[in-house]
Each structure stands twice: as structure tokens, then as C-alpha cells.
Amino acid sequence: MLLRLLSSDWLKTKRTPVRWLTGAAILGYPALLLWYFARPVRTAELPYEIHQAFFQSASIILPVGIGLLAGLLAAQEENAGHFNGLLGQSAPRTLIYLSKLLQLVLLVTVFLFGSMLVLLSGMRYLLHIGQPGTGIFMLSGLLALAGSLALCVLHLFLALAFGLGASVGAGGAGLLVAAIIGTTSIGEAIWPCVPWSWPARLAGLPALAMPGLPLPEGFALSRFLQDELIRGLVPACMVFLLASVCSILWFCRWEGRKSYE
């Protein structure tokens, strides 16, 4: 039943900007990075620089992107009948909500890994980098996705409960938080407590194992990565699970926005 609901939700996006926005981001974002790094001088640190630029920039814009996509998905249901089509289905409310959440997560996944594949192909065939670090990029993508799950739950709730404006507005605030806490030294001590910083911080960890990257003498890389992954992944998973349970309980009692009741 969940797959049938997911298929139905995907068909509903046919006349919305969701599909072409995702496709444009998948092609346009890595193209900009490839253009920026298309320089005649190649250094051993170039794959690391591209990796950091890709994931730091993506992690900064993810809050706005997730907020916009969640808002568009909710707006489609609102415009189709003030959520009557969504809430009036015979399927259990839990599955209806999980279908929407899974759709949002899949859109984020397609963006991350689709744009990553375009970037890696460009690094190999346009920038002529023989070893772009595909495995490290993929691992970073998985960690960025894991750090984004709690944001998907948050923005889906905001979009359903308060509308597109609230979801995008919260995403704009999250962009600033991600840029400051997720990518600068200011957030070194507090980033595990700030959900908007999780994608950037977690995705940047595997890059430290890239070949050719100089590290301080005596630096225990494996121990550092293990400690940082525990600091970030544990709260990210716990918050995602807790937020999912709370939002499902809320959705099961929700009867639409007050203005439509």
C-alpha cells in the first residue's frame, strides 16, 4: 500500500515545479562547480577542494531546498481540495504521512546523488582527474543524507501545518545557521546540537581520508573520524526517529488547517 501511495503522490507532481526544479538543480549545480574549477593548474588537493565545495555549498542550500520542496508538496494538496484529498483517503494516516515523507527524502536523495554523479563524470572527463575519489564522495553523500532526514521531517510538518511560506522561511533561517555553524570554526563545539549543521559536518569527514591531503604529523585520523561520526550520527538518528514519531502522532489527529475547518 505504501508503494501505491508513493506512486500516486509522484503522479500529483506532474503539473508542479517539483520535477523541473529537481532536474535543474541536478544538472546546474555541478556544472557551476566544474566551470569554477576548470583551471589549467592541477594540484593533488584539487579533488579535496572540489569535494568540500560541493558538499559545503549543497549542505548550506539544503535547508532552503527541503523547505521549498516540502512547501510545494503541501501546497499541491492544499490547492487540490484544502487537504480533503489527502486526509480523505482510505489508507491509514500513518502510511499517508510516511508516503509524503518518503517522497521528500527521495527527492533529496536524487538531488544529492544525481548531482554527485554529474560532478564525478565531469571531474574525470572534463577536468581529467584520474582518481576523483568516487567512494569517498558516495560515503559523504550518505552522511549528508543522514544529516538531512530530521530537516525533512521538520519542514514537512511546517509545510502541512503552516504553509509554504513558513517552510521556506524556516529554510532561509536554516541556511544562515548551516553556513555559520556547519562550515566555520565557530560551530566546532556546538554543531552536534544544531540539526542544520549536520549535513555539512558529517559530509566533510570522509574527505580527510582523500589521497594527497596533508595531515598533521601524528594525527590519529581513524580515531578522529570515529569520534566525530558518533558525535554527529547518534543525535541525527535519534532526533529523526523522535521527530518522525511525534509528527506521525500529530498527523493522525490533524484535520486540516483551521481556516478550512
Side-chain angles (χ1 to χ4, degrees):
M1 181 175 288
L2 180 59
L3 290 178
R4 187 166 66 250
L5 289 171
L6 187 61
S7 176
S8 175
D9 285 339
W10 174 247
L11 289 176
K12 293 176 184 178
T13 65
K14 186 175 182 179
R15 290 182 172 83
T16 69
V18 169
R19 296 188 183 186
W20 67 260
L21 278 175
T22 306
I26 289 173
L27 297 176
Y29 176 55
L32 287 175
L33 287 177
L34 291 170
W35 170 79
Y36 178 79
F37 285 101
R39 56 198 185 198
V41 179
R42 301 285 189 270
T43 63
E45 293 83 11
L46 183 58
Y48 173 79
E49 294 173 4
I50 296 176
H51 177 284
Q52 292 300 87
F54 176 82
F55 282 104
Q56 286 188 357
S57 301
S59 299
I60 290 173
I61 64 176
L62 267 178
V64 174
I66 293 174
L68 178 59
L69 289 175
L72 290 173
L73 293 178
Q76 187 275 329
E77 296 291 351
E78 180 181 8
N79 295 333
H82 304 326
F83 300 105
N84 290 327
L86 178 68
L87 300 176
Q89 298 180 77
S90 58
R93 286 284 188 95
T94 299
L95 292 182
I96 296 173
Y97 178 84
L98 288 177
S99 174
K100 285 294 182 186
L101 178 59
L102 184 57
Q103 183 183 19
L104 182 58
V105 171
L106 287 176
L107 287 171
V108 176
T109 304
V110 168
F111 162 69
L112 281 174
F113 287 91
S115 57
M116 193 191 314
L117 290 175
V118 174
L119 179 68
L120 289 169
S121 299
M123 290 173 67
R124 180 177 292 274
Y125 298 109
L126 297 180
L127 303 185
H128 305 292
I129 299 175
Q131 299 293 332
T134 302
I136 290 177
F137 269 88
M138 292 297 175
L139 180 56
S140 294
L142 289 173
L143 291 173
L145 179 62
S148 304
L149 293 178
L151 300 182
C152 291
V153 178
L154 169 65
H155 284 283
L156 183 58
F157 164 74
L158 291 174
L160 290 172
F162 303 106
L164 174 63
S167 182
V168 174
L175 181 148
L176 297 176
V177 175
I180 296 172
I181 306 299
T183 62
T184 69
S185 58
I186 297 176
E188 287 292 343
I190 62 173
W191 73 265
C193 304
V194 183
W196 292 272
S197 69
W198 293 339
R201 292 285 181 171
L202 290 172
L205 294 176
L208 296 176
M210 276 190 160
L213 180 66
L215 295 174
E217 186 176 352
F219 181 69
L221 178 59
S222 59
R223 180 65 179 178
F224 174 78
L225 292 178
Q226 180 181 344
D227 292 343
E228 291 297 290
L229 284 173
I230 293 174
R231 288 182 67 202
L233 274 180
V234 171
C237 294
M238 291 179 63
V239 171
F240 168 65
L241 292 175
L242 179 61
S244 298
V245 171
C246 292
S247 58
I248 288 173
L249 293 175
W250 166 80
F251 186 77
C252 288
R253 294 175 173 269
W254 188 54
E255 296 300 332
R257 304 228 184 100
K258 290 184 177 180
S259 58
Y260 301 138
E261 291 178 352

